[in-house]
Amino acid sequence: RKEVEQDPGPFNVPEGATVAFNCTYSNSASQSFFWYRQDCRKEPKLLMSVYSSGNEDGRFTAQLNRASQYISLLIRDSKLSDSATYLCAVMNTGFQKLVFGTGTRLLVSP
Amino acid sequence: NAGVTQTPKFRILKIGQSMTLQCAQDMNHNYMYWYRQDPGMGLKLIYYSVGAGITDKGEVPNGYNVSRSTTEDFPLRLELAAPSQTSVYFCASSYQSGSSYNEQFFGPGTRLTVL
């Protein structure tokens, strides 16, 4: 089983739609969780951290479910500019090493 | 600040050739990382460094070497290029203190093809 797993997609949604991605992780000792955004042929950039209590940043909401070992990203009112690949990343105890999922591709159409 | 810079942006190598991918950061970050990303895949950690003079292997170190003689620079060396090393290489850096996580900043990447 992969340490971090994501549905590769693509998720095709119209503008204005709400879309959600999940990411499962296998190490129950994982400490920190993140969502990165990667545009085509560009470097990943941190979108948001995922806290135990959940967190929201504008149209984006991230949640953590430790019991079921997954994190989620909800995007409301999708924009064309949200089209990208969303990578989840998990940090385990000890050294600050991130393990990345393979990414979920989102395509928002007019 | 330039952030994390990488050179070259693109390179084509022949099997068996050597090259060094350059990475530099001007944010005074102590941690630096090298990742590779194959098509449709996530990032895999090759090597990392927690400070000048200290390096360690990541998940996929075979075929690569690194050095960290200064805080700013973290070059990645390929000694005998193989087609399996065709990939996009990202360098990243972060400032770590204690147990709190701080964001990793990525460079723009180097696209390497080995033929």
Side-chain angles (χ1 to χ4, degrees), chain B residues 90-112:
Chain B
F90 289 104
C91 179
S93 72
S94 65
Y95 181 76
Q96 307 299 342
S97 177
S99 60
S100 65
Y101 171 77
N102 291 310
E103 178 183 354
Q104 288 188 22
F105 291 85
F106 285 80
T110 293
R111 296 184 177 278
L112 176 67

Side-chain angles (χ1 to χ4, degrees), chain A residues 60-77:
Chain A
F60 298 83
T61 300
Q63 294 199 313
L64 166 64
N65 185 317
R66 283 195 183 272
S68 300
Q69 295 185 202
Y70 73 87
I71 62 172
S72 63
L73 178 68
L74 180 78
I75 305 175
R76 290 179 298 278
D77 189 23

Side-chain angles (χ1 to χ4, degrees), chain B residues 40-105:
Chain B
M41 303 295 287
L43 292 94
K44 294 187 184 297
L45 183 65
I46 305 172
Y47 270 95
Y48 65 94
S49 169
V50 301
I54 306 170
T55 63
D56 209 344
K57 295 177 181 179
E59 185 183 356
V60 289
N62 291 345
Y64 307 95
N65 277 300
V66 293
S67 59
R68 183 99 181 269
S69 56
T70 66
T71 299
E72 294 79 19
D73 300 296
F74 190 40
L76 178 71
R77 178 86 178 156
L78 282 72
E79 290 295 348
L80 291 170
S84 60
Q85 293 177 305
T86 294
S87 191
V88 180
Y89 291 83
F90 289 104
C91 179
S93 72
S94 65
Y95 181 76
Q96 307 299 342
S97 177
S99 60
S100 65
Y101 171 77
N102 291 310
E103 178 183 354
Q104 288 188 22
F105 291 85

Side-chain angles (χ1 to χ4, degrees), chain A residues 8 10 13 19-20 22 24 36-37 44 50 55 59 61 76 102-103 109:
Chain A
V13 302
V19 62
N22 281 347
T24 59
Y36 277 75
R37 172 189 168 127
V50 187
N55 49 305
R59 297 181 293 108
T61 300
R76 290 179 298 278
T102 55
S109 55

Side-chain angles (χ1 to χ4, degrees), chain A residues 13-28:
Chain A
V13 302
E15 270 187 294
T18 295
V19 62
F21 313 132
N22 281 347
C23 167
T24 59
Y25 60 95
S26 61
N27 188 341
S28 58

Side-chain angles (χ1 to χ4, degrees), chain A residues 3-107:
Chain A
E3 196 165 349
V4 179
E5 292 197 74
Q6 294 182 253
D7 181 341
F11 283 59
N12 290 286
V13 302
E15 270 187 294
T18 295
V19 62
F21 313 132
N22 281 347
C23 167
T24 59
Y25 60 95
S26 61
N27 188 341
S28 58
S30 297
Q31 293 292 307
S32 305
F33 309 88
F34 312 92
W35 284 102
Y36 277 75
R37 172 189 168 127
Q38 186 174 26
D39 292 305
C40 187
R41 303 176 77 82
K42 298 284 190 181
E43 71 274 21
K45 293 185 179 178
L46 182 67
L47 178 65
M48 57 198 308
S49 303
V50 187
Y51 304 121
S52 297
S53 56
N55 49 305
E56 188 174 310
D57 183 2
R59 297 181 293 108
F60 298 83
T61 300
Q63 294 199 313
L64 166 64
N65 185 317
R66 283 195 183 272
S68 300
Q69 295 185 202
Y70 73 87
I71 62 172
S72 63
L73 178 68
L74 180 78
I75 305 175
R76 290 179 298 278
D77 189 23
S78 299
K79 312 290 185 191
L80 295 176
S81 57
D82 293 334
S83 297
T85 296
Y86 292 84
L87 302 167
C88 70
V90 174
M91 181 174 291
N92 299 323
T93 55
F95 165 65
Q96 309 277 358
K97 182 178 68 172
L98 286 179
V99 179
F100 286 85
T102 55
T104 296
R105 191 167 173 218
L106 173 64
L107 298 172

